[in-house]
Amino acid sequence: MPTYPVTKRGAEQLKSELQRLKSSDRPAVINAISEARAQGDLSENADYDAAKERQGFIEGRIAEIESKLAQAQVIDPATLDAGGRVVFGAIVELEDELSGAAVTYQIVGEDEADLKQGLINISSPIARALIGKVEGDVAEVQAPGGVKRYEIMAVRYQ
């Protein structure tokens, strides 16, 4: 069974979502199903169909999160000491060699990724190009517009 890398913050977010699904969303949809049943004929009851569909989504998401948490390898970036190398959880400051634009990314798990917040998926092309590099190295990333080159300005673990 493969492990699923996730930061400590990402694991907490998954646990929080699981708790919300189990304690509020699941009971609410069960209530909606019972109310729709009380209306009578289920064959033409759109409320019942919608509630059953929502229940299927909630149960599927609960199973998915439980599976991910069971396989999770929780990594606390603050405790990392990778000798300045870019690893999962690291915060990397980059400079585009062509434009000189500076960007900062943290390499995180699949469910945590949010480019607008500077959180990139471990399996993304840029993260794969950065892994193992150190400050001063240049990473080449195959982007839709061609190859982009980024110089690693700093690597932090927090």
Side-chain angles (χ1 to χ4, degrees):
M1 189 147 77
T3 59
Y4 173 76
V6 64
T7 64
K8 188 175 178 183
R9 180 183 65 234
E12 292 303 319
Q13 289 172 338
L14 285 173
K15 287 176 186 173
S16 173
E17 181 182 358
L18 183 61
Q19 178 65 27
R20 179 184 50 81
L21 288 168
K22 284 183 169 182
S23 65
S24 69
D25 291 4
R26 182 189 268 168
V29 81
I30 290 171
N31 188 37
I33 289 171
S34 63
E35 286 177 12
R37 273 196 186 131
Q39 294 174 6
D41 186 11
L42 298 181
S43 65
E44 296 179 13
N45 191 329
D47 290 341
Y48 178 78
D49 291 340
K52 287 299 281 183
E53 187 174 317
R54 177 92 176 116
Q55 181 185 35
F57 170 78
I58 289 170
E59 295 302 327
R61 184 65 181 152
I62 287 171
E64 179 184 8
I65 292 172
E66 286 176 338
S67 173
K68 284 182 178 182
L69 288 172
Q71 297 172 25
Q73 177 185 1
V74 180
I75 298 168
D76 186 355
T79 62
L80 292 176
D81 182 20
R85 294 167 47 91
V86 178
V87 294
F88 180 86
I91 298 171
V92 187
E93 295 176 25
L94 306 171
E95 183 178 293
D96 186 320
E97 283 195 337
L98 191 59
S99 70
V103 291
T104 302
Y105 294 125
Q106 181 176 16
I107 300 173
V108 296
E110 175 182 319
D111 286 318
E112 304 169 78
D114 184 352
L115 193 56
K116 291 178 183 170
Q117 293 183 10
L119 304 172
I120 58 172
N121 185 343
I122 183 71
S123 61
S124 69
I126 191 163
R128 288 195 317 259
L130 293 170
I131 294 292
K133 302 251 189 304
V134 295
E135 188 175 319
D137 285 354
V138 174
E140 290 188 359
V141 181
Q142 184 64 45
V147 176
K148 287 192 154 253
R149 294 172 52 88
Y150 292 98
E151 181 178 351
I152 299 173
M153 306 307 287
V155 179
R156 300 188 317 269
Y157 313 104
Q158 1 177 280

